[in-house]
Amino acid sequence: SAPEDLTLFWSKLREHTASPHLPEVLSRDALLDALAMFTFSVTMRHEQVGAITEYILHPSLSGTRIRPQSVRTDAQAFLASACLMSLTGIKTPRLMSEFKEFWRSDEESKRWGDLQKQLLLHSDEIANRNQNREFPYVTGDPKLLECAVSV
């Protein structure tokens, strides 16, 4: 049986996300799937679809707030978007970093190392696929991904 705090976390996670992909009963596999999905969302998905800089450079472009009878964003929304971009544009650690200070045991460090090896294999696979492409696609290359925060 799962610890009470983990069971509460799972219950709140299901409640707030309303995701049909989170089973009602918490299991180790369900938790690992959820954590993998969140990790994907804040790294690869954020890298793929999170770039909005070119849309909010000027109030006459696409803004973050829609108002009736207006073709441009208002000053408050423009400033909020600029603040968001300045904060999310800060470099964050690379996904392929060792993060030695985070692991509490040799076992945790080994698991992270195993994941890193798998990510390197994935990076090699991307490089191989790009060998014959006129326009290489590197957005999902783990060597280039940062540990981003999805806002």
Side-chain angles (χ1 to χ4, degrees), residues 43-112:
T43 55
M44 178 54 196
R45 183 174 292 140
H46 191 262
E47 184 72 18
Q48 179 70 28
V49 298
I52 62 167
T53 304
E54 56 273 11
Y55 303 115
I56 62 169
L57 288 174
H58 191 272
S60 66
L61 300 173
S62 182
T64 56
R65 185 181 315 181
I66 299 172
R67 297 176 324 162
Q69 275 68 62
S70 181
V71 295
R72 61 187 297 146
T73 193
D74 60 79
Q76 182 183 23
F78 177 70
L79 184 58
S81 298
C83 289
L84 176 65
M85 287 310 302
S86 69
L87 294 172
T88 58
I90 296 170
K91 289 288 183 195
T92 57
R94 295 266 183 204
L95 179 61
M96 297 301 295
S97 300
E98 290 185 29
F99 298 109
K100 290 179 183 178
E101 65 276 12
F102 290 107
W103 313 128
R104 295 177 292 173
S105 69
D106 290 341
E107 177 62 25
E108 289 178 358
S109 183
K110 181 189 177 312
R111 287 181 184 176
W112 182 253

Side-chain angles (χ1 to χ4, degrees), residues 3 5 7-8 10 14 21 40 43 46 51 54 58 62 68 92 106 110 113 116 122 125 141:
D5 55 348
T7 304
L8 178 61
W10 189 256
R14 291 188 73 249
H21 304 292
F40 175 82
T43 55
H46 191 262
E54 56 273 11
H58 191 272
S62 182
T92 57
D106 290 341
K110 181 189 177 312
Q116 298 290 295
H122 184 65
E125 183 180 328
D141 190 337

